Amino acid sequence: MSISPLGLIFGIASALAVAFYSIQPRSLLAEFGPTVIVGWGMILGSIPFQFVAPITEPGFQLTWHSLILLLLIIVFGTSLSFISYFASLSYITPSLASIMTALEPLLAAVLSVVVFKQIFGFFEILGIFIVMIAVLLLASTKEEAYVEMVNEQI
């Protein structure tokens, strides 16, 4: 198995970003709620992206069909999923939320077998096994010690 240096850098950056956005906004969530936090995050995150891919040059033909699909992706695939994730942080710990997030690719893999009749090879099964082991290891840590550590940092 090989991975490019750029892929490794983005993988590590992604892991750090998940840890950061799960722990950092706790005080903001308590004060403003998940909808405001997600809204501002999307606005502030989209500003630098305008230099990469401006909204005035979408890269595809704008039709009513494509606009409706784009709106569905924005609302259901992004906004509501992040609002739900941040709202869950009021009820569960960030570590448990991250564990549940780690199961998302596993569910996607299982659904690809059921819905699209995909066949898993050795490496796919090995990947599922590694994800399950990682989730079980994360779930076995003491939640109370983690919560105390996070509360001390806030």
Side-chain angles (χ1 to χ4, degrees):
M1 183 164 63
S2 67
I3 185 169
S4 70
L6 187 61
L8 180 64
I9 289 169
F10 275 105
I12 292 171
S14 176
L16 292 173
V18 168
F20 179 76
Y21 78 68
S22 294
I23 295 172
Q24 191 274 336
R26 291 184 71 154
S27 59
L28 291 174
L29 285 169
E31 187 174 344
F32 298 108
T35 306
V36 172
I37 301 300
V38 169
W40 275 106
M42 288 188 170
I43 289 171
L44 295 176
S46 66
I47 291 171
F49 191 70
Q50 292 306 306
F51 297 108
V52 177
I55 195 168
T56 56
E57 302 170 15
F60 58 90
Q61 187 169 354
L62 287 175
T63 63
W64 282 108
H65 185 258
S66 65
L67 285 174
I68 290 171
L69 293 176
L70 185 62
L71 184 65
L72 288 172
I73 291 170
I74 291 169
V75 171
F76 292 105
T78 307
S79 300
L80 288 179
S81 62
F82 272 105
I83 289 170
S84 299
Y85 179 79
F86 284 133
S88 74
L89 294 176
S90 300
Y91 304 103
I92 60 175
T93 63
S95 60
L96 181 58
S98 295
I99 289 170
M100 300 308 271
T101 302
L103 292 175
E104 181 183 355
L106 181 63
L107 178 62
V110 170
L111 286 177
S112 71
V113 171
V114 173
V115 175
F116 300 116
K117 308 293 188 237
Q118 293 291 316
I119 299 172
F120 282 166
F122 172 75
F123 288 109
E124 289 85 359
I125 294 171
L126 179 65
I128 289 173
F129 183 71
I130 291 171
V131 168
M132 300 259 311
I133 296 241
V135 167
L136 291 173
L137 287 173
L138 286 170
S140 67
T141 60
K142 301 234 183 245
E143 290 288 325
E144 296 84 19
Y146 179 77
V147 171
E148 286 179 26
M149 180 186 72
V150 169
N151 288 335
E152 287 174 6
Q153 292 176 354
I154 295 177

